[in-house]
Amino acid sequence: KAGVTQTPRYLIKTRGQQVTLSCSPISGHRSVSWYQQTPGQGLQFLFEYFSETQRNKGNFPGRFSGRQFSNSRSEMNVSTLELGDSALYLCASSLELDYYEQYFGPGTRLTVT
Amino acid sequence: KNEVEQSPQNLTAQEGEFITINCSYSVGISALHWLQQHPGGGIVSLFMLSSGKKKHGRLIATINIQEKHSSLHITASHPRDSAVYICAVSGDSGGSNYKLTFGKGTLLTVNP
């Protein structure tokens, strides 16, 4: 079975731009979660999607949004980029919501200049 | 105070040594996860446990729900074990039932 894939792997944007990141979960997995990792804050939960619905959201501003499609693929969008948005963005998929092992993708490294 | 605390932050060991990484949490949980992250970013889930003990090869994870504490042990450590080990909890944390809350990680370096 193919693992979780994320595209693109690397991205450079300038302040004020917007960006869309994509995540394809493991086949059959219905839950996708997104995380941000920075040297200062470590790993932080962004949001979780299940059956095309956002089930949980972390403490991030409204500039961060996402969606999930009927095939469970997910995208996250960050609008009006700030320097502090530079981070590794990871997605993880699991079979169902809660109490299921999460499988992480390789991440998208976003640099905002 | 972070909801998930790990110790030590950094750990250097010689090949073959027995290693223990500790994790304490302050909230109710449904499960605790141990993750491994190698340089470059990829994260691998090592264990997910809600009680007792699990073993996989040279790795052992234990959890004490009453004490709100978990340990990750590595027996006969090897340089390829060098990585960041992250403890995370899922469950009723800050009002969300399902999100993972992460510790800051433990950087393990195993020298040959």
Side-chain angles (χ1 to χ4, degrees):
Chain A
K1 233 181 212 184
V4 178
T5 58
Q6 290 187 246
T7 56
R9 293 292 312 278
Y10 303 91
L11 203 48
I12 300 174
K13 291 284 190 179
T14 56
R15 276 180 298 175
Q17 288 187 313
Q18 75 161 13
V19 67
T20 299
L21 312 181
S22 180
C23 172
S24 292
I26 290 173
S27 177
H29 284 195
R30 300 202 293 160
S31 174
V32 173
S33 296
W34 288 90
Y35 303 91
Q36 182 197 63
Q37 186 177 36
T38 59
Q41 298 297 319
L43 274 160
Q44 294 182 281
F45 170 82
L46 277 159
F47 21 65
E48 178 177 34
Y49 288 89
F50 181 79
S51 292
E52 301 178 66
T53 302
Q54 186 181 93
R55 299 295 175 137
N56 292 285
K57 190 176 192 301
N59 296 324
F60 280 82
R63 300 185 296 106
F64 291 81
S65 63
R67 58 178 175 167
Q68 186 181 34
F69 302 95
S70 58
N71 62 358
S72 295
R73 190 177 71 84
S74 177
E75 288 180 348
M76 67 162 281
N77 185 76
V78 188
S79 62
T80 320
L81 284 165
E82 300 177 0
L83 294 178
D85 297 332
S86 294
L88 180 67
Y89 291 89
L90 292 150
C91 87
S93 75
S94 61
L95 265 175
E96 302 286 341
L97 275 179
D98 197 31
Y99 203 61
Y100 283 86
E101 186 174 3
Q102 298 217 352
Y103 293 83
F104 286 80
T108 294
R109 187 163 296 280
L110 171 65
T111 302
V112 182
T113 62
Chain B
K1 187 183 189 302
N2 290 332
E3 293 176 338
V4 181
E5 297 277 356
Q6 280 185 244
S7 63
Q9 282 187 299
N10 293 282
L11 182 56
T12 300
Q14 288 300 122
E15 184 173 356
E17 286 185 357
F18 180 85
I19 287 161
T20 296
I21 299 170
N22 296 299
C23 175
S24 296
Y25 54 93
S26 57
V27 296
I29 67 169
S30 60
L32 183 141
H33 306 251
W34 280 103
L35 309 171
Q36 180 193 55
Q37 185 172 32
H38 281 283
I43 291 179
V44 174
S45 176
L46 298 174
F47 295 103
M48 183 180 70
L49 65 167
S50 57
S51 65
K53 176 179 170 178
K54 285 190 175 181
K55 184 176 190 292
H56 185 261
R58 296 180 294 106
L59 302 177
I60 303 166
T62 64
I63 188 169
N64 184 319
I65 297 295
Q66 287 72 31
E67 299 283 323
K68 289 187 165 63
H69 180 269
S70 175
S71 293
L72 175 69
H73 305 287
I74 304 175
T75 62
S77 59
H78 189 276
R80 65 175 174 267
D81 297 326
S82 298
V84 175
Y85 292 83
I86 302 168
C87 170
V89 298
S90 59
D92 189 10
S93 176
S96 170
N97 283 330
Y98 307 115
K99 71 172 186 177
L100 285 180
T101 304
F102 299 88
K104 295 293 186 187
T106 295
L107 174 60
L108 171 65
T109 303
V110 182
N111 294 317

